[in-house]
Amino acid sequence: MKAINPTSGELIRTYEAHSEKGAEKIINSVDKAWQSWRSVPFRNRSALMLNMASLLRSERDRLALLITLEMGKVLRESKAEIEKCAWVCEYYAENAESFLQNEPISTEFKQSYISFQPLGTILAVMPWNFPFWQVFRFAAPTLMAGNTVVLKHASNVPGCALAIEELFREAGFPDNAFRSLLIDGKKVESLIAHPAIKAVTLTGSTPAGRSVASAAGRWLKKSVLELGGSDPYLILEDANLDEAARICAASRLLNAGQSCIAAKRFIVIESIFDEFSRRFTARMKEAVYGDPCHEETTLGPMARRELRDELHDQVIASVKQGAVILTGGMIPDQTGAFYSPTILSKVKPGMPAYQEELFGPVAALISARNEKQAVEIANDTSFGLGAAVFTRDVERGRWLAEEKLQAGSCFVNDMVKSDPRLPFGGINESGFGRELSVFGIREFVNIKTVAIR
């Protein structure tokens, strides 16, 4: 496996992939480790998870640079990603035991209650766009629940995959409580079929989710899927346009737009459409793209050139169908997988910019006559991961977020984001199941009924 620097196009390092026999040996070792790890008291697991949080912070600069070199994230964002991983470790170290306490239920039995027991070894298939956070937001609750983990990470971040494995070892976890497999994505189905794998979680594209869900169903194994999104942001006529433009641009450009919950479609009431477009365009133009290690850079390259080229094809196809470029829409004449911050206006149904996920720094502006039509447009998607609404009337925004917008996470006057304290996940083609909060740790446990007469 090759790690390629998307900024320079240069080879960072070549890694030897695991053979099928090697992968099977690792899975068996992780399953064996589970037999003892499941019985480790919560206080001991918590101590190790707090060790991990401390280790992440002490190694932040080294780990952040690894992220930036392998997938192109701006260095300050990489550092923030490592800090967020430490936070999720602390959160579950402090709360896992209470989340998984026995719950008494009043029945005709002398005693009846719900017990939460670990399932075993869980397979995680993780993406490159947040190569540490995506792993830790799954691994922290899963390990705290008493399970063990096998990670199949994206093939372009092998250094990150192995670094995470080593971190768990350095933090004091058993050697085989967490292991990384360097294998081709085509072999994931055989991993799911392995008898020691009790469940699988995937964060990635909708097609990848369909493939994993199909395999998990075939082998009757629990799955959690966090897939793509085409997140709508509603800008209502009473919104604070300066704040809305700032937040919308930040959401669209974070991680070079390569985020499942990044704002993608901006649905603006027609009475303020021109003014919001002007302010939003100005904010998008402020982005400074270049070497993500440089302090002045705010927008790094995309993770791979082929992904950049696919995004450009979506832009060109939308323009051919009538979309208008307000800014950007071009591949910069420089080395690396860069793409200019882009805004498409006059976006209509049928265009790629309307129907598909734009996984890069491209925004689609859509005009709506009124609130009712804005909601209809927002929900006119096969996805359902995140959504946001901007309005000075907080109660109006709350009502729209709770009752009208069809997505797993709905925010008012802020960008959609993940938080260890809040459940995270989608509906429809954005997947199923939840990560984070109490709901996340309960995804991979046996919710067991115990009744005593």
Side-chain angles (χ1 to χ4, degrees):
M1 288 186 174
K2 295 180 179 180
I4 305 292
N5 187 328
T7 304
S8 64
E10 297 175 351
L11 175 68
I12 301 171
R13 181 179 169 183
T14 299
Y15 295 82
E16 184 176 353
H18 288 107
S19 65
E20 288 188 17
K21 286 187 177 180
E24 183 172 4
K25 183 178 179 181
I26 288 173
I27 292 174
N28 289 333
S29 297
V30 176
D31 183 53
K32 184 177 180 180
W34 175 67
Q35 305 301 328
S36 56
W37 176 249
R38 64 179 300 189
S39 300
V40 172
F42 276 107
R43 63 180 181 275
N44 298 62
R45 296 180 207 164
S46 294
L48 295 177
M49 199 60 73
L50 290 174
N51 286 348
M52 174 60 82
S54 178
L55 184 60
L56 284 165
R57 290 196 173 99
S58 67
E59 294 286 311
R60 185 195 67 171
D61 290 354
R62 177 181 69 85
L63 300 173
L65 181 59
L66 176 60
I67 293 173
T68 295
L69 292 177
E70 286 200 327
M71 58 74 56
K73 192 190 305 286
V74 172
L75 191 57
R76 71 173 66 87
E77 293 182 7
S78 296
K79 292 178 180 179
E81 180 173 337
I82 297 300
E83 177 59 38
K84 195 169 184 179
C85 292
W87 180 21
V88 79
C89 289
E90 290 173 338
Y91 177 77
Y92 281 106
E94 295 165 359
N95 293 288
E97 184 172 10
S98 64
F99 287 162
L100 298 178
Q101 280 184 338
N102 290 349
E103 291 188 6
I105 304 294
S106 178
T107 67
E108 73 276 14
F109 288 93
K110 180 179 179 181
Q111 186 180 9
S112 51
Y113 60 93
I114 302 168
S115 177
F116 303 95
Q117 299 295 320
L119 289 178
T121 296
I122 314 299
L123 171 65
V125 183
M126 292 291 134
W128 47 262
N129 56 336
F130 291 90
F132 272 68
W133 168 243
Q134 304 279 17
V135 175
F136 273 89
R137 78 181 190 191
F138 152 78
T142 299
L143 287 163
M144 284 301 302
N147 299 300
T148 50
V149 173
V150 171
L151 169 66
K152 189 283 173 205
H153 218 325
S155 59
N156 60 327
V157 289
C160 291
L162 296 178
I164 294 171
E165 177 183 307
E166 183 58 29
L167 283 169
F168 276 104
R169 196 171 289 119
E170 289 181 26
F173 286 81
D175 283 349
N176 290 308
F178 181 105
R179 294 294 303 273
S180 292
L181 292 179
L182 301 185
I183 62 168
D184 186 88
K186 296 177 182 178
K187 297 180 181 179
V188 167
E189 184 171 351
S190 66
L191 298 182
I192 296 172
H194 194 290
I197 298 297
K198 302 305 180 185
V200 57
T201 182
L202 173 136
T203 298
S205 69
T206 298
R210 288 194 178 98
S211 176
V212 165
S214 175
R218 188 175 304 117
W219 296 102
L220 297 178
K221 296 185 181 182
K222 172 72 179 289
S223 63
V224 170
L225 306 177
E226 194 267 281
L227 310 178
S230 184
D231 288 17
Y233 279 28
L234 277 61
I235 320 300
L236 303 185
E237 72 282 351
D238 63 344
N240 181 326
L241 296 188
D242 276 336
E243 272 294 281
R246 180 186 65 80
I247 293 170
C248 288
S251 178
R252 182 65 290 216
L253 297 177
L254 180 70
N255 202 32
Q258 299 167 118
S259 171
C260 51
I261 54 169
K264 312 262 186 356
R265 295 177 297 138
F266 300 87
I267 304 162
V268 188
I269 301 300
E270 62 183 11
S271 63
I272 59 165
F273 185 87
D274 291 342
E275 183 59 24
F276 176 79
S277 298
R278 183 182 66 80
R279 300 186 195 201
F280 184 46
T281 301
R283 287 288 186 177
M284 292 284 281
K285 285 183 175 180
E286 290 175 356
V288 178
Y289 54 85
D291 188 331
C293 290
H294 291 172
E295 188 173 338
E296 66 274 14
T297 299
T298 62
L299 183 66
M302 294 181 63
R304 300 196 303 270
R305 287 192 178 187
E306 64 268 26
L307 297 174
R308 187 269 315 276
D309 294 343
E310 289 172 9
L311 179 69
H312 187 57
D313 289 343
Q314 289 175 298
V315 170
I316 297 304
S318 297
V319 170
K320 287 181 178 178
Q321 294 177 46
V324 174
I325 296 174
L326 298 185
T327 187
M330 62 180 183
I331 297 174
D333 185 18
Q334 65 182 81
T335 302
F338 290 93
Y339 197 71
S340 59
T342 300
I343 298 176
L344 296 176
S345 187
K346 297 188 177 180
V347 173
K348 304 292 184 184
M351 297 179 181
Y354 186 100
Q355 305 291 151
E356 301 172 6
E357 180 175 29
L358 299 174
F359 213 66
V362 177
L365 278 176
I366 304 170
S367 178
R369 293 186 304 275
N370 50 39
E371 176 189 290
K372 182 176 182 294
Q373 188 184 38
V375 170
E376 290 172 354
I377 294 170
N379 293 334
D380 184 22
T381 176
S382 60
F383 297 106
L385 192 57
V389 55
F390 291 83
T391 172
R392 282 187 168 90
D393 185 341
V394 175
E395 178 56 27
R396 178 190 189 191
R398 185 208 60 76
W399 179 75
L400 288 170
E402 180 178 344
E403 299 290 341
K404 294 298 181 180
L405 295 175
Q406 297 171 11
S409 297
C410 295
F411 283 54
V412 179
N413 294 328
D414 201 357
M415 69 176 71
V416 179
K417 60 190 74 173
S418 58
D419 181 316
R421 300 163 297 185
L422 300 172
F424 181 80
I427 60 174
N428 303 326
E429 290 190 10
S430 290
F432 49 75
R434 290 295 180 265
E435 295 181 294
L436 303 175
S437 82
V438 63
F439 298 96
I441 198 170
R442 290 183 176 181
E443 285 285 4
F444 295 118
V445 294
N446 174 13
I447 303 175
K448 180 187 291 186
T449 293
V450 178
I452 304 167
R453 186 171 293 282

